């Protein structure tokens, strides 16, 4: 049965075109379209409903040590009110999920996981974390809004005391009032822009959404759907589970080595340190005219099949067609991407494709 977030009726009110995604009915876009919404976030401010994401609460005296066994990045150096990107692996080094870990205090951590993996993640964590730690799925009682773009701070300033809002990226305050509603606000996002993710109780979500939209009118705020969320994350080369990451993909082959600390002891470590990576994640810029989506085969100049695209499309801000790809580790030179029977010439280009200018 398809689920709905607490904001389903709100999306209908604003003209959202609803589709099924990760088991939920969510807006792919609104009346003005994906390109408009993409540009709004890059240049102004947009509001997303990402309440479909999963929230798992870990509690216990040994929460930090127990959690460390499950993830690749350091838990012991996370400060209170800080969050950190992490990977969770199977024994063979492939990826259960990528997630954010919020440290509420020494004995309490909040894990934000992908919607499509929530049940799988919960079961994996409960099975492997140890009996002395409690694991609770609080997804259904939690709503999550993402306020993103260079004017996001201006909108939030009309709703909250900005002296309580973190100024550094990947920090949070779990005791903030936003528009009169008790919330947790973090300096995180999935767009490559400055912005915030705002957590509240599910039954407060509609009220909070409307308050943000009302105060955001002065800055031309727009509701934004899944379509622009994907074009924005693709343009700044953020990996997506099911595309760049999967349970068939080794964590050492996805270009996220900075988040993998092999001096730690975690599930899947042995597979990473004892096996040389065979593939790598790269960026490609198409030289020939055309657009490569995911799962297009890639050939080298000698006509050898060397990999496939994992995500692809137009980069609306920088201009041109690009793709992220999984290719053999030793590949260099020009690539030929097969798109509907044609082979399109492409060249390796650095990731990310787009990076915002920080003032």
């Amino acid at each position: 049965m398809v689920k709905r977030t607490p904001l389903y009726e709100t999306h209908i009110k604003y003209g959202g075109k609803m589709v099924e995604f990760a088991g939920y009915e969510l807006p792919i876009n609104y009346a003005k379209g994906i390109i408009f919404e993409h540009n709004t976030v890059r240049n102004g401010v947009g509001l997303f409903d990402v309440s479909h994401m999963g929230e798992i609460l870990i509690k216990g005296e040994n929460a930090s040590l127990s959690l460390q066994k499950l993830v690749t990045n350091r838990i012991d150096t996370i400060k209170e009110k800080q969050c950190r990107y992490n990977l969770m692996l199977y024994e063979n080094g492939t990826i259960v999920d990528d997630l954010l870990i919020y440290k509420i205090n020494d004995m309490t951590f909040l894990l934000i996981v992908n919607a499509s993996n929530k049940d799988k993640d919960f079961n994996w964590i409960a099975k492997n974390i140890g009996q002395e730690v409690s694991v609770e799925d609080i997804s259904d009682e939690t709503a999550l809004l993402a306020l993103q773009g260079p004017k996001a701070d201006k909108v939030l300033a009309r709703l909250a005391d900005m002296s309580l809002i973190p100024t550094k990226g990947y920090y949070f305050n779990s005791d903030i009032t936003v528009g009169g509603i008790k919330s947790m606000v973090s300096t995180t996002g999935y767009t490559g822009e400055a912005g915030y993710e705002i957590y509240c109780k599910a039954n407060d979500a509609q009220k909070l959404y409307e308050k943000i939209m009302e105060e955001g009118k002065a800055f031309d705020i727009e509701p934004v759907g899944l379509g622009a969320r994907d074009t924005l994350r693709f343009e700044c080369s953020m990996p997506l589970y099911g595309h760049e990451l999967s349970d068939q993909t080794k964590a050492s082959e996805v270009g996220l080595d900075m988040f993998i600390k092999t001096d730690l002891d975690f599930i899947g470590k042995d597979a990473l340190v004892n096996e040389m990576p065979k593939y790598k994640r790269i960026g490609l810029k198409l030289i020939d005219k055309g657009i490569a989506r995911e799962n297009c085969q890639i050939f080298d100049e000698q006509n050898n099949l060397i990999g496939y695209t994992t995500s692809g499309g137009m980069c609306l801000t920088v201009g041109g067609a690009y793709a992220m790809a999984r290719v053999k580790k030793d590949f260099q030179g020009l690539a030929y991407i097969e798109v509907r029977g044609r082979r399109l010439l492409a060249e390796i280009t650095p990731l990310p494709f787009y990076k915002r200018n920080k003032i």
Side-chain angles (χ1 to χ4, degrees):
M1 182 177 175
V2 179
K3 295 182 179 181
R4 293 175 174 176
T5 75
L7 290 163
Y8 176 83
E9 298 296 338
T10 306
H11 298 313
I12 298 299
K13 170 187 170 181
Y14 282 92
K17 180 182 177 182
M18 309 303 285
V19 299
E20 183 179 342
F21 176 80
Y24 285 82
E25 281 189 272
L26 291 164
I28 187 75
N29 60 266
Y30 298 83
K32 295 178 183 177
I34 292 173
I35 294 175
F36 177 85
E37 293 170 21
H38 178 107
N39 291 332
T40 293
V41 174
R42 284 282 179 257
N43 301 304
V45 60
L47 183 61
F48 302 75
D49 173 21
V50 281
S51 301
H52 59 294
M53 297 293 283
E55 289 86 20
I56 298 172
L57 198 60
I58 307 293
K59 286 184 176 181
E61 289 188 12
N62 295 317
S64 179
L65 288 173
S66 299
L67 191 54
Q68 188 65 84
K69 299 173 187 175
L70 300 182
V71 295
T72 63
N73 205 352
R74 301 199 77 90
I75 300 296
D76 60 346
T77 58
I78 304 178
K79 299 174 184 176
E80 223 170 87
K81 298 187 177 182
Q82 184 180 19
C83 45
R84 182 167 290 172
Y85 183 75
N86 248 295
L87 297 171
M88 190 160 57
L89 309 185
Y90 292 109
E91 289 90 344
N92 65 357
T94 64
I95 302 168
V96 179
D97 205 359
D98 66 328
L99 63 156
L100 279 180
I101 297 179
Y102 287 66
K103 182 176 180 178
I104 309 295
N105 56 50
D106 287 340
M107 296 191 296
T108 310
F109 294 83
L110 178 65
L111 280 54
I112 311 302
V113 303
N114 286 298
S116 58
N117 292 335
K118 184 192 71 171
D119 293 341
K120 176 188 75 173
D121 289 357
F122 180 85
N123 292 334
W124 178 258
I125 293 166
K127 176 184 175 183
N128 291 286
I129 200 166
Q131 295 181 350
E132 68 278 9
V133 177
S134 68
V135 183
E136 183 183 2
D137 182 355
I138 61 169
S139 305
D140 290 344
E141 61 197 68
T142 307
L144 173 55
L145 306 182
L147 182 65
Q148 300 284 299
K151 296 181 182 178
D153 59 338
K154 293 178 169 52
V155 176
L156 189 59
R158 297 172 73 108
L159 294 154
D161 180 353
M162 293 302 283
S163 69
L164 301 176
I165 305 294
T167 55
K168 282 184 174 182
Y170 288 81
Y171 279 81
F172 68 96
N173 191 332
S174 57
D175 190 18
I176 295 282
T177 299
V178 181
I181 295 167
K182 181 172 168 50
S183 307
M184 182 172 85
V185 180
S186 65
T187 49
T188 51
Y190 197 48
T191 65
E193 295 301 328
Y196 309 93
E197 292 186 310
I198 306 170
Y199 299 80
C200 69
K201 291 182 179 179
N203 56 13
D204 287 332
Q206 287 187 337
K207 185 177 178 182
L208 179 58
Y209 189 99
E210 294 290 9
K211 283 181 175 290
I212 295 173
M213 289 299 292
E214 180 63 30
E215 294 300 333
K217 284 180 181 177
F219 306 101
D220 299 317
I221 195 171
E222 293 284 346
V224 186
L226 293 172
R229 188 168 186 257
D230 190 54
T231 60
L232 289 158
R233 76 90 197 167
F234 167 68
E235 195 168 59
C236 56
S237 305
M238 290 183 170
L240 174 62
Y241 196 91
H243 291 251
E244 287 69 43
L245 315 176
S246 77
D247 58 7
Q248 302 298 310
T249 308
K250 285 277 202 311
S252 55
E253 298 176 340
V254 293
L256 298 175
D257 290 355
M258 66 182 293
F259 304 108
I260 302 172
K261 311 302 184 187
T262 53
D263 60 319
L264 300 172
D265 185 21
F266 54 83
I267 295 173
K269 171 188 171 178
D270 289 347
L272 299 188
V273 299
N274 294 330
E275 299 176 24
M276 291 295 292
K278 297 177 182 177
Y279 290 86
K280 61 184 177 181
R281 177 167 65 109
I282 64 168
L284 292 170
K285 181 178 181 180
L286 275 74
I287 297 171
D288 287 339
K289 189 175 181 180
I291 298 175
R293 304 295 183 184
E294 68 271 17
N295 296 322
C296 294
Q297 291 185 327
I298 302 173
F299 299 84
D300 65 14
E301 294 173 271
Q302 288 75 44
N303 200 36
N304 298 306
L305 177 64
I306 48 102
Y308 58 92
T309 57
T310 54
S311 296
M314 296 297 295
C315 282
L316 300 172
T317 310
V318 300
Y322 291 77
M324 283 191 283
R326 174 174 166 81
V327 298
K328 290 183 178 179
K329 184 74 174 177
D330 59 356
F331 168 70
Q332 296 292 334
L334 296 172
Y336 292 85
I337 307 174
E338 191 162 287
V339 180
R340 292 186 293 276
R342 294 175 56 224
R343 291 193 181 178
L344 306 180
L345 182 62
E347 62 182 356
I348 296 175
T349 191
L351 298 173
F353 306 131
Y354 165 82
K355 194 171 184 178
R356 70 183 173 94
N357 293 321
K358 296 183 181 179
I359 299 172

